Amino acid sequence: MARTITVGLDGSPESRAAAEWAAREAALRQVPVRLLHVWQPVPEPMAQAPLLGAETHQHWTERIPREAAEGLRLRHPGVEVTTEQRAGAPAEVLLEAARDAELLVLGSRALSGLTGFLIGSVGQSVVARAEVPVVLVRAGEQAADEHVKDPTGIPSAATGFRPVVLGLDTDSPDETVITFAFEEARRREATLTVVTGWNLPPYYVYSLAAGVDPREDIIREQAAALTEALRPWREKYPDVEVTEQSRLGSPANHLVDAAHEASLVVVGRRIRRSPFGMHIGAVAHAVMHHATTPVAVVAHD
C-alpha cells in the first residue's frame, strides 16, 4: 500500500473541506495527498451542445483539481499534492483508488435543521465497501474546529488538539480500529476518549421483581470490561492519555454527544463481502450522519 492520502474531489464545498483536512492529516503523517477527480463521459447528445459539450466538460474537470491543488500547496507548503483524473462511475473509481492509499477522505454536507449530515449514495457505497479507513469531513470544517480554544475563548488552530474519540464494543474489540484511534491520538498529542454504551440485560427486570437491584454491579462489570480491553493498548502507547466512558444507553448517542468536543471520531465497520446491499452497521451509520466532527470509519474482519 502506498503511503498516500486520497481525496475524492468534485469542486463542492464539502469536497474542498475534505481536501483541507487531508492536507492537515498529511502533514501529521508526512505523506503526500492525491486529489482524485472522477468524471463521467458526456452522453453523445450533450457532447454536441456548445455550452455543455465535451470541450466545456473537459475544461471544468481539469480546472477543479488544478485550482484545488494550487490552493493546498500555498496553504500547506510542506505537503506534496498531486492530482489525478479518472473517468467512470464515481463509487467504483474511488474504491479502486482506495486500494493504493492508506486513507480515503470524502466530504459530506449538512442538512437543514437537526436532521444531521447527508452522505450521498456514492459516499455510502464507498464507506460500505472500502477496506481502508474512510474519513468523512463536513462542509465548512475548519482547522480551528479541531483545537481547543485559546485562553481568551477564541477559536485557534495554534492550540492543542481536542480529544480523539473511539467507539468501542467491549464484546468484540478489534485491533485494527483500536490501533487507528491510538495512532491518531498520538499524532495529535491528544487525549483518547474511549466510549462504550450498553443496555441492561434481560435478567435485570427479574432481579427487580425479586427485590434485588444489580445495577451497580452491572455498571462496575461494564467499566471493568472496558478497562481490561484497553490494558494492552495503554502499555503499547504509554504516551497517549486515555479516558474511559462506560455508559448505560445507546452507543451511537453517546458517541455523537462526545463528538461535540472532539477533533476526530473513530468507529469500526465489519467487512462483509456479500454482493448484496451495503453494510455499514447501525452505530457507524448513526455517527456518520449526526456527528459534527470528522468521522473515520475503519473496516475490520
Side-chain angles (χ1 to χ4, degrees):
M1 179 189 299
R3 297 206 65 219
T4 303
I5 297 176
T6 295
V7 185
L9 185 73
D10 62 8
S12 65
E14 54 268 26
S15 74
R16 291 197 295 270
E20 291 289 341
W21 187 92
R24 298 194 296 271
E25 180 72 11
L28 292 173
R29 294 180 179 233
Q30 297 185 322
V31 298
V33 170
R34 174 175 58 168
L35 302 180
L36 176 60
H37 182 70
V38 184
W39 62 279
Q40 294 176 288
V42 179
E44 186 60 30
M46 292 179 62
Q48 306 304 320
L51 296 180
L52 300 174
E55 291 186 5
T56 301
H57 190 64
Q58 182 179 3
H59 167 75
W60 284 105
T61 56
E62 292 176 351
R63 179 177 175 179
I64 289 170
R66 184 182 68 249
E67 292 185 349
E70 290 171 354
L72 287 184
R73 293 183 187 113
L74 286 173
R75 292 185 292 276
H76 307 275
V79 176
E80 178 185 345
V81 182
T82 61
T83 63
E84 184 176 347
Q85 291 178 281
R86 297 191 189 181
E92 301 304 322
V93 174
L94 287 167
L95 286 166
E96 181 181 352
R99 299 190 187 103
D100 299 326
E102 67 178 41
L103 196 65
L104 179 64
V105 186
L106 304 175
S108 65
R109 72 175 187 268
L111 297 174
S112 59
L114 301 176
T115 50
F117 294 88
L118 177 65
I119 315 297
S121 59
V122 170
Q124 292 198 67
S125 178
V126 171
V127 170
R129 298 160 59 194
E131 296 192 11
V132 300
V134 180
V135 177
L136 298 165
V137 180
R138 316 308 183 192
E141 173 74 14
Q142 301 289 328
D145 298 334
E146 299 164 23
H147 293 254
V148 297
K149 293 180 180 179
D150 73 9
T152 64
I154 297 175
S156 170
T159 56
F161 278 94
R162 294 183 177 194
V164 172
V165 172
L166 166 65
L168 185 65
D169 181 356
T170 55
D171 290 333
S172 56
D174 182 81
E175 178 178 348
T176 303
V177 181
I178 298 173
T179 298
F180 183 92
F182 269 88
E183 287 288 338
E184 290 299 306
R186 182 187 59 79
R187 291 187 185 100
R188 289 163 171 74
E189 299 182 355
T191 298
L192 176 63
T193 300
V194 185
V195 178
T196 184
W198 46 273
N199 294 310
L200 292 170
Y203 69 76
Y204 177 74
V205 175
Y206 299 103
S207 299
L208 288 180
V212 178
D213 188 348
R215 187 180 320 195
E216 292 301 320
D217 290 337
I218 296 170
I219 291 172
R220 283 194 294 270
E221 290 171 2
Q222 294 291 341
L226 178 57
T227 298
E228 186 60 30
L230 292 174
R231 189 183 309 279
W233 306 99
R234 285 179 179 270
E235 295 173 356
K236 186 176 180 180
Y237 294 90
D239 54 336
V240 175
E241 180 183 348
V242 180
T243 62
E244 302 174 10
Q245 296 182 7
S246 175
R247 295 180 175 176
L248 173 64
S250 163
N253 289 344
H254 293 318
L255 284 169
V256 170
D257 288 343
H260 291 297
E261 300 300 328
S263 61
L264 179 69
V265 177
V266 180
V267 292
R269 177 191 69 80
R270 188 174 297 279
I271 296 174
R272 295 182 175 89
R273 294 181 173 85
S274 167
F276 305 105
M278 295 188 295
H279 306 280
I280 295 176
V283 173
H285 187 274
V287 174
M288 284 166 51
H289 285 272
H290 295 286
T292 55
T293 199
V295 176
V297 183
V298 182
H300 63 90
D301 291 319

